[in-house]
Amino acid sequence: MQFATRLDNVETSAIRELFKLLGKPGIISFAGGFPDSAMFDVEGLKEASAKALAEEPGGALQYGATEGYDPLRAQLSAFMKGKGVEVAPDGLIVTTGSQQALDLLGKTLISPGDKVIVEGPTFLATIQCFRLYGAELISAPIDAEGVQVDRLEQLIAEHKPKFVYLIPTFGNPSGAMLNLERRRKVLELAVKYGTVIVEDDPYGDLYFGKAPPPSIMSLTAEVPGSRELVVHCGSLSKVLSPGLRIGWMIAPPELLAKATMCKQFSDAHTSTFAQATAAQYLKSGRMPGTLAHVRKVYAERAAAMGAALKRELGDAIAFTQPGGGLFFWARLTGANGKLADANVLAKRAIEKGVAFVPGAPFFAEKPDLATLRLSFATANVEKIEEGIARLGAAL
Amino acid sequence: MQFATRLDNVETSAIRELFKLLGKPGIISFAGGFPDSAMFDVEGLKEASAKALAEEPGGALQYGATEGYDPLRAQLSAFMKGKGVEVAPDGLIVTTGSQQALDLLGKTLISPGDKVIVEGPTFLATIQCFRLYGAELISAPIDAEGVQVDRLEQLIAEHKPKFVYLIPTFGNPSGAMLNLERRRKVLELAVKYGTVIVEDDPYGDLYFGKAPPPSIMSLTAEVPGSRELVVHCGSLSKVLSPGLRIGWMIAPPELLAKATMCKQFSDAHTSTFAQATAAQYLKSGRMPGTLAHVRKVYAERAAAMGAALKRELGDAIAFTQPGGGLFFWARLTGANGKLADANVLAKRAIEKGVAFVPGAPFFAEKPDLATLRLSFATANVEKIEEGIARLGAAL
């Protein structure tokens, strides 16, 4: 058989290879990018699915509209309103996880050779998803305050990208949070250059102290002409359950209609069974309690990891304590002649019984080999302390 | 915003326009392509989902492997074995409905300008899905015994297609069943020309009298060298519930690996919540009873529709009584000066209170304007008789 050459643009993930080693007994893993299963509200979801099947078996089990199940679209509209975004139920479509929103953006917007600006570093599956459609990715540098907007402007002016993709709030892998001033500037750039901004926001609800600045989408209300240039992708995966595969996309009407057409031929519609369950869950009023719980637990774990990294690795590692999300993004400094190559450290760490992901694959261009991503989501405080001690020993 | 030109290849569906009229009160619809909600085993699915959440909450709610949830893959392997196909659990992947299997085949195999042979007529969403990837579709003519294999051979030899897509058993819209001799011939052609055959089989379990011939995939055992050229797509949508969005694809290892990589960036994985529910349902042993029930009900409805068509439309319509599936495929003969344009009839029929889908959009090339598709799935016998009487009046 012959295969389309577009697959040749996608590297076999280095991370896949690493993950094969995770089966080794006793490994403490900071490598995953997923929430802790122990935090799923199983009871709440059990009630929600039973109620969906009892009250609306037709809706939950029959084919549904490609745009999404109306009761869920109404709940998501209310959920977004609680986060400062005014969007009518028909101003969003339900996607099969926010991964599908990325895929639909690629399918709808990217022609081979088109340029797309992403953060350097950015979400690995985004890089691969957009490349599959033939995009050339340009990296805009970031710091702990998110994307550097002056550099972003230069890149937009130079490359005239099809769109700019950002994870502005507790990004994966960066953990960075785009500050308010930069958020406004991003919108001004969108209007100035007529550039579409895609805001991917799976982590915004997972803040530890005070809430992050308003989303880029909610700030469009302050910047005339910007709303029609912003796409916002949301997800229940990190806050409720990835297994439901419920994401959503808010976008200008024309783009939403084209994305819906693409979705029709991608999977017809997202599982109505999962959609009806999610709608009942949101309606049940349990979500605020669930969010408060996960925020508290992840905040403790993040605090423990930060303290342990300082204690065990000292000035051999540099990082900014994340204010939310699931990740520490760190850089080996090479201080005192210590190792500064995260790929080498990853192998040594596995031998010592701890795993993390080297940062290189998260860069669409010029990888920084000294960087690494550590997730604090799935290990408890005790394991985090033990794991970071092992990491110190490996270094 | 600019959009990729590939969407220009996809016509806005004429059927969508028709479906907008279906809201008219009192309409009897034979237009749908879906099973009857009243036949869903809601109790069985309620038990299955409760069990999944009780016994395997982590598996049902967490991220899962892109290839599919292992307990479901094992159940589907056993389900296929019951239908004569030997496939190991890792010889198939779970897809988000079989629509996603088509999308993954497009994404994996089709480069712009590639040729694909389909049946004329074939499933509408297949035409649009493959065109979105830039395929040029070639139609192989069919009759009540399925695709005409002599003509198929000429087309393969002439066009050297990337693959041949068939719905050999009670096809949508044709209702046709490829006979055993032709199935063997298709496999011989696959080997002779090195051509991939995609067998889409969502309806094979919905037979009314005796079971259909073995699937093309199961016949590969008889034709040396053919197994590595056949892809088989299955689905629970027509026999259990479309809302679960559970389909599967059996394919040679290399193709399966590439399709899995494409799926990773399409939706990460199919809802594990839906997968765990489907696995528990198949494990519960209720499926044979469910199948027996739906076969019986649809058989009665098909018999009623066939009799009513003969009674009410006489020699103005020609059709073969389907042996399974959900559809009658018919042709207006124009006998005695009667109408022979199904588009015109569709409009008149709506005025008389009955809906069906004209056949033209199901043809990738040269539509036959006299054809129409009638689904008998969702109306009971009484409604079918009334609806066909109205159709007779419209004609």
Side-chain angles (χ1 to χ4, degrees):
Chain A
M1 282 191 197
Q2 284 185 297
F3 296 102
T5 51
R6 61 170 69 95
L7 272 178
D8 300 340
N9 297 330
V10 180
E11 290 166 46
T12 302
S13 169
I15 291 186
R16 272 183 181 242
E17 296 307 306
L18 178 72
F19 272 63
K20 285 182 189 159
L21 302 171
L22 294 185
K24 204 177 140 183
I27 289 268
I28 294 173
S29 177
F30 305 132
F34 41 86
D36 188 349
S37 300
M39 250 160 327
F40 297 151
D41 180 6
V42 180
E43 268 316 300
L45 285 164
K46 205 179 290 180
E47 281 172 26
S49 76
K51 213 163 173 186
L53 288 173
E55 293 180 3
E56 43 190 335
L61 298 175
Q62 185 56 278
Y63 282 111
T66 300
E67 293 86 345
Y69 186 56
D70 279 339
L72 178 59
R73 294 170 91 195
Q75 288 294 331
L76 291 174
S77 166
F79 186 61
M80 289 308 301
K81 189 169 184 176
K83 304 203 280 176
V85 174
E86 292 286 344
V87 59
D90 65 1
L92 61 86
I93 63 172
V94 177
T95 57
T96 306
S98 61
Q99 182 67 44
Q100 191 188 42
L102 303 184
D103 185 58
L104 295 176
L105 287 169
K107 216 169 184 177
T108 309
L109 292 173
I110 300 173
S111 297
D114 281 347
K115 291 178 179 177
V116 174
I117 295 179
V118 300
E119 290 158 293
T122 191
F123 178 43
L124 189 60
T126 301
I127 297 175
Q128 297 174 316
C129 174
F130 292 165
R131 281 201 178 137
L132 207 52
Y133 288 102
E136 181 187 336
L137 300 185
I138 313 293
S139 286
I142 64 166
D143 54 37
E145 304 281 294
V147 70
Q148 295 168 13
V149 285
D150 293 346
R151 190 77 187 101
L152 179 61
E153 177 161 13
Q154 290 168 352
L155 292 171
I156 291 173
E158 182 184 343
H159 294 288
K160 299 177 182 57
K162 208 63 178 271
F163 58 87
V164 175
Y165 170 84
L166 303 173
I167 315 175
T169 311
F170 318 130
N172 177 5
S174 70
M177 192 184 69
L178 191 66
N179 67 35
L180 182 58
E181 192 189 346
R182 290 187 183 179
R183 286 174 192 238
R184 290 205 178 98
K185 181 71 181 172
V186 165
L187 288 173
E188 287 160 13
L189 294 178
V191 175
K192 181 174 174 185
Y193 293 95
T195 301
V196 173
I197 307 294
V198 175
E199 175 180 49
D200 193 4
D201 188 28
Y203 307 104
D205 284 311
L206 295 178
Y207 54 86
F208 303 149
K210 65 178 177 137
S215 63
I216 291 177
M217 181 55 95
S218 67
L219 290 170
T220 56
E222 300 179 11
V223 182
S226 65
R227 175 76 185 231
E228 67 193 59
L229 292 164
V230 175
V231 176
H232 179 98
C233 304
S235 172
L236 294 181
S237 292
K238 305 305 187 293
V239 294
L240 184 61
S241 154
L244 292 174
R245 306 308 298 127
I246 299 294
W248 59 95
M249 176 161 68
I250 303 169
E254 192 195 356
L255 175 56
L256 210 58
K258 298 260 182 183
T260 302
M261 196 186 285
C262 285
K263 180 170 167 63
Q264 194 182 348
F265 309 120
S266 291
D267 65 1
H269 60 84
T270 297
S271 167
T272 44
F273 179 54
Q275 288 190 76
T277 297
Q280 287 285 355
Y281 188 86
L282 289 169
K283 194 174 152 195
S284 74
R286 293 175 75 117
M287 195 58 151
T290 297
L291 283 173
H293 176 62
V294 296
R295 283 173 192 145
K296 180 171 169 292
V297 174
Y298 289 146
E300 287 164 6
R301 292 176 183 179
M305 182 172 275
L309 282 169
K310 283 193 180 133
R311 187 170 64 238
E312 304 287 348
L313 285 87
D315 59 3
I317 196 163
F319 61 90
T320 300
Q321 183 76 20
L326 304 177
F327 306 109
F328 274 74
W329 178 247
R331 195 166 188 286
L332 301 174
T333 62
N336 306 316
K338 291 269 175 48
L339 191 64
D341 184 321
N343 284 308
V344 178
L345 181 61
K347 289 189 189 94
R348 284 200 204 158
I350 288 276
E351 284 161 22
K352 295 284 182 190
V354 61
F356 65 86
V357 181
F362 295 99
F363 291 89
E365 300 179 298
K366 304 181 217 78
D368 180 348
L369 298 177
T371 55
L372 58 153
R373 189 192 77 176
L374 298 155
S375 167
F376 49 82
T378 54
N380 62 25
V381 169
E382 195 188 345
K383 292 266 185 197
I384 286 173
E385 291 178 344
E386 171 63 21
I388 298 297
R390 292 180 188 177
L391 188 64
L395 192 69
Chain B
M1 284 191 194
Q2 284 184 298
F3 297 100
T5 50
R6 61 169 72 93
L7 273 177
D8 300 340
N9 298 330
V10 180
E11 288 166 49
T12 302
S13 168
I15 290 186
R16 273 184 179 241
E17 296 307 306
L18 177 71
F19 272 62
K20 286 182 188 160
L21 301 172
L22 293 186
K24 203 177 144 184
I27 289 268
I28 295 173
S29 177
F30 304 132
F34 41 87
D36 188 347
S37 300
M39 252 162 324
F40 296 151
D41 180 6
V42 180
E43 269 314 301
L45 285 164
K46 206 180 288 180
E47 281 171 27
S49 76
K51 214 164 174 185
L53 287 173
E55 292 181 6
E56 45 188 338
L61 297 175
Q62 187 55 280
Y63 282 112
T66 301
E67 293 86 344
Y69 185 56
D70 279 340
L72 178 59
R73 293 169 93 194
Q75 288 294 333
L76 292 174
S77 165
F79 186 61
M80 289 308 302
K81 190 169 183 173
K83 303 202 282 176
V85 175
E86 291 285 343
V87 59
D90 65 1
L92 61 87
I93 63 172
V94 177
T95 57
T96 305
S98 61
Q99 181 68 43
Q100 192 188 42
L102 304 183
D103 185 58
L104 295 175
L105 288 168
K107 216 169 180 176
T108 308
L109 291 173
I110 299 173
S111 297
D114 280 348
K115 290 177 179 179
V116 174
I117 295 180
V118 300
E119 290 159 292
T122 190
F123 178 42
L124 188 60
T126 302
I127 297 175
Q128 297 176 316
C129 176
F130 292 165
R131 282 199 178 143
L132 206 53
Y133 289 102
E136 181 187 335
L137 301 184
I138 313 293
S139 286
I142 63 168
D143 55 37
E145 304 280 295
V147 70
Q148 294 168 14
V149 286
D150 293 346
R151 190 75 188 103
L152 178 64
E153 177 162 15
Q154 291 168 351
L155 292 171
I156 291 174
E158 180 184 344
H159 294 288
K160 298 176 183 55
K162 208 61 179 274
F163 58 89
V164 175
Y165 170 86
L166 303 173
I167 314 174
T169 312
F170 317 130
N172 177 5
S174 70
M177 192 183 70
L178 192 66
N179 68 35
L180 181 60
E181 190 190 349
R182 290 187 184 181
R183 286 172 193 241
R184 290 207 177 96
K185 180 71 182 173
V186 165
L187 287 172
E188 287 159 13
L189 293 179
V191 175
K192 179 173 176 186
Y193 294 94
T195 300
V196 174
I197 306 293
V198 175
E199 175 180 48
D200 193 4
D201 188 28
Y203 307 103
D205 284 311
L206 295 178
Y207 54 85
F208 304 149
K210 67 178 175 133
S215 63
I216 290 177
M217 179 56 94
S218 68
L219 289 170
T220 57
E222 299 178 13
V223 182
S226 64
R227 176 75 184 230
E228 66 192 59
L229 291 165
V230 175
V231 176
H232 180 99
C233 305
S235 172
L236 295 181
S237 292
K238 304 305 187 292
V239 294
L240 184 60
S241 152
L244 292 174
R245 306 307 299 128
I246 298 293
W248 60 95
M249 175 162 67
I250 304 169
E254 192 194 357
L255 175 56
L256 211 57
K258 298 257 180 186
T260 301
M261 195 185 287
C262 284
K263 179 171 168 63
Q264 194 183 345
F265 309 119
S266 291
D267 65 0
H269 60 85
T270 296
S271 168
T272 45
F273 178 54
Q275 288 189 77
T277 297
Q280 287 285 357
Y281 189 86
L282 288 169
K283 194 175 152 194
S284 74
R286 295 175 74 116
M287 194 59 151
T290 298
L291 283 173
H293 176 61
V294 296
R295 281 172 193 146
K296 179 171 168 292
V297 175
Y298 289 146
E300 286 163 6
R301 292 177 182 179
M305 184 173 273
L309 282 169
K310 283 191 182 135
R311 188 170 63 239
E312 305 287 347
L313 285 86
D315 60 3
I317 198 162
F319 61 89
T320 300
Q321 183 78 19
L326 304 177
F327 306 109
F328 274 74
W329 179 247
R331 197 167 186 288
L332 301 173
T333 60
N336 305 318
K338 288 269 173 51
L339 192 64
D341 184 321
N343 285 308
V344 177
L345 180 61
K347 289 189 190 95
R348 282 196 206 161
I350 289 276
E351 283 162 23
K352 295 282 181 192
V354 62
F356 65 87
V357 182
F362 296 98
F363 291 89
E365 299 179 300
K366 302 182 217 79
D368 180 347
L369 298 177
T371 56
L372 59 154
R373 189 191 77 176
L374 297 154
S375 167
F376 48 82
T378 54
N380 62 25
V381 169
E382 195 187 346
K383 292 266 185 198
I384 287 172
E385 292 179 342
E386 170 63 24
I388 298 297
R390 291 180 188 177
L391 188 65
L395 192 69

